[in-house]
Every structure is written in structure tokens, then in C-alpha cells.
Amino acid sequence: MLKAVILIGGPQKGTRFRPLSFEVPKPLFPVAGVPMLQHHIEACSKLPNMKEILLIGFYQPNEEINRFLSCAQQDFKISIRYLQEYAALGTGGGIYHFRDQILSGSPEAFFVMNADVCSEFPLPEMLDFQKEHGDAYSFVILGTTANRKQSLNYGCIVENEQTDEVLHYVEKPSTFVSDIINCGIYLFTPEIFQHIGTVFQKNQQDMLLEEQSNGWHRAEVIRLEQDIFTALAGQGKLYVYKTDRFWSQIKSAGSAIYASRLYLNQYHTTHPERLATNREGGISFSLVHFLVCF
């Protein structure tokens, strides 16, 4: 059994989408005619053993989010739930906080993906890649290549070219490290929580020390990139599956236009019904799937 977790952030995130994000939460912003999140959900729902998709973030539940969840469940015939963080806990803290919900039903593995990425989502290939390594305790990062300048804006991965093991990981380095970058899509087994738990315990100890000197830090704030991947690199537990398919971040309304173009190029084969068609009397728009509820 598989599960998927989509990290959707919260209202203080997505500020580069303002003023548009005042009207629509960033994860529901339309990209290629449908809410940004729908692309992720559709990709996950195609996996045969996918049983549940969990959205984790710190948006207050509202009518738009509830309506989207209801429509998506009907469309894709899969359980989709929203789990609200009490505060921004980071990319690792959120999944650790809700680990019991993720592990309910004993999934063999689960995907974690950032909501603000545009991708072909090669999820079946990532599963096959993990099986080929034959280690139930290994974890997979989806990676792609970027030029030297672009790479400084992302997590950079140094790999063993023979085994694809991640030897070194640096989040947004100040100087060039590697042209392989982190795509924000991961495949984990339940064992990842042991590693996150180690960081949590260390944070607790550090918090106690800081309190003695009038300092304070929330122990649950954990970042997968800086706190987990950096530590796992070079230990034979973390691997990178490199894709040459399209991928992009969606950090602003402008980048959403670029992401829309990438998806629209795929619609000719994946969703021709979403494209406009030429008919007598003018163009007919058949973009019917902006989740009809919207």
C-alpha cells in the first residue's frame, strides 16, 4: 500500500503570488486551467496501490479548500484529507507531527511532494528505482539538472555516478556544488521517521539549553533539506533518481505562466479535452475540468 503527502504551506507563504493569493490560496491557483494541486493528485491517483493522499499545511480550513477536497475525491475516487499544522513546522516537522496519520494502515512507502512544483511526476519510475536498489531502508529524491547559476537557487546533490547514491547535499549553496538539483518530490519508507525523530530529540535538548540562557526554539520545526538530507548523505541511505522530463518551481504568478505552458504542451496526449478546439463560428473552449465545483 502507498500513500502520498503534499506539503501546501500556509498564508504567510506564497507572498510572491500577491495580490492574487489574497483571493485564491496559492495551492489552488490555476495552472493550465486547473488548481495547482490537481496535477499532483492526478499523478498520485494513477498509482495502483495508492490508498490515501494527505495535504499538510497551516491554512485555516475554508470553503474553497473544502470544496476542492470534496470535488477531487469524487473525481479521482481516492481518499484525500487535509491535516492542519498548528504552526509552520517545516518540510520535515509537518510529516513528523502527523506521522501516526501517515503510517495508519501500514503503508510500505509514501511520497512527499511540495505543492509549488510543476512536473510530469515520474512516480512509477521512482518506485521501480527504489526496488532496483533492493533496500527497504533507502530513500529517493527526484533530481534534475540545471546550469551553474540556476543551481544556486536549489538544493544541490553530489552523487555517486555508478550507484546514484547521494554523497553530499547542500541547500542553496553560495558557490557551485553540482548541477543536479532537488525537485521537491521524495519517496520515503516509514524508516524516515527514525531519522526525523533523532533531529527532533536533538532540537528538544537544544531548546532546553537555550531556555536556560533565555533562548527558545520550537523543537518540531524540522527541515527535510537541511536537517535530514544533509545528515543522510554519504551513509548509503539516500539516492537520487534523475529525470529528463519537464520540471519547474512555481514561486510566483509569472512562473505559473511558464508551468502552464509545460502542462499545456502535454495536454495534446494526456488531456485533449481540456484544450480549445477550432470550430465553425470561432474557438470552442473545452477546458471543463477547472474542477466543475469552482
Side-chain angles (χ1 to χ4, degrees):
M1 182 184 74
L2 299 170
K3 289 192 179 187
V5 176
I6 306 174
L7 306 176
I8 67 171
Q12 66 257 49
K13 302 289 184 182
T15 54
R16 281 174 278 185
F17 263 77
R18 293 177 181 171
L20 300 175
S21 58
F22 288 135
E23 298 295 326
V24 179
K26 181 184 173 184
L28 300 185
F29 190 82
V31 175
V34 298
M36 189 188 301
L37 273 179
Q38 186 171 328
H39 297 284
H40 301 61
I41 291 171
E42 183 175 350
C44 293
S45 70
K46 291 178 179 177
L47 292 171
N49 296 322
M50 183 61 66
K51 298 302 180 187
E52 185 174 45
I53 299 171
L54 301 172
L55 312 183
I56 295 180
F58 47 100
Y59 285 97
Q60 288 291 333
N62 57 40
E63 184 180 347
E64 287 176 304
I65 292 175
N66 292 336
R67 191 188 309 133
F68 171 79
L69 292 176
S70 176
C71 288
Q73 287 192 99
Q74 292 175 21
D75 275 9
F76 297 108
K77 306 296 187 292
I78 191 169
S79 171
I80 306 173
R81 291 191 293 139
Y82 174 48
L83 304 177
Q84 184 189 0
E85 299 168 292
Y86 65 89
L89 298 179
T91 50
I95 64 172
Y96 188 70
H97 184 75
F98 290 111
R99 60 193 180 280
D100 290 342
Q101 303 268 18
I102 295 170
L103 296 177
S104 175
S106 302
E108 299 167 14
F110 60 97
F111 287 94
V112 173
M113 51 190 76
N114 294 333
D116 59 354
V117 297
C118 150
S119 175
E120 276 196 59
F121 297 105
L123 308 184
E125 292 86 346
M126 291 176 71
L127 284 166
D128 291 341
F129 176 84
Q130 187 187 49
K131 289 174 184 175
E132 286 171 8
H133 285 80
D135 186 353
Y137 300 98
S138 63
F139 317 115
V140 180
I141 299 175
L142 181 67
T144 192
T145 55
N147 63 42
R148 293 176 68 96
K149 184 177 180 181
Q150 288 174 331
S151 69
L152 303 181
N153 297 316
Y154 302 97
C156 291
I157 299 164
V158 177
E159 67 161 348
N160 180 318
E161 294 183 2
Q162 280 70 47
T163 65
D164 299 305
E165 181 192 347
V166 175
L167 300 177
H168 188 51
Y169 184 92
V170 184
E171 184 68 16
K172 297 180 181 177
S174 56
T175 58
F176 178 74
V177 171
S178 169
D179 63 353
I180 304 173
I181 62 170
N182 176 3
C183 292
I185 300 172
Y186 317 119
L187 177 57
F188 294 145
T189 59
E191 285 70 27
I192 192 67
F193 291 118
Q194 297 178 11
H195 300 284
I196 301 177
T198 299
V199 174
F200 175 67
Q201 291 171 1
K202 180 180 182 301
N203 286 352
Q204 281 186 315
Q205 295 172 354
D206 291 346
M207 186 179 70
L208 292 173
L209 293 173
E210 289 177 11
E211 282 182 340
Q212 292 172 6
S213 58
N214 298 319
W216 183 84
H217 178 73
R218 185 179 288 117
E220 276 197 293
V221 176
I222 298 169
R223 304 159 300 177
L224 285 174
E225 301 81 7
Q226 294 95 325
D227 299 323
I228 306 301
F229 296 160
T230 301
L232 287 177
Q235 294 189 20
K237 299 180 184 297
L238 190 62
Y239 293 83
V240 56
Y241 173 76
K242 298 185 295 299
T243 181
D244 56 4
R245 300 184 190 180
F246 77 79
W247 176 87
S248 179
Q249 270 193 328
I250 309 175
K251 292 294 187 184
S252 65
S255 59
I257 295 172
Y258 176 69
S260 291
R261 187 177 74 181
L262 295 175
Y263 280 129
L264 289 169
N265 286 337
Q266 298 297 309
Y267 278 2
H268 293 287
T269 54
T270 60
H271 288 289
E273 78 282 358
R274 293 182 184 174
L275 296 173
T277 56
N278 289 317
R279 292 183 181 175
E280 287 186 23
I283 294 175
S284 171
F285 288 93
S286 18
L287 192 51
V288 294
H289 219 70
F290 183 59
L291 274 171
V292 176
C293 307
F294 278 73

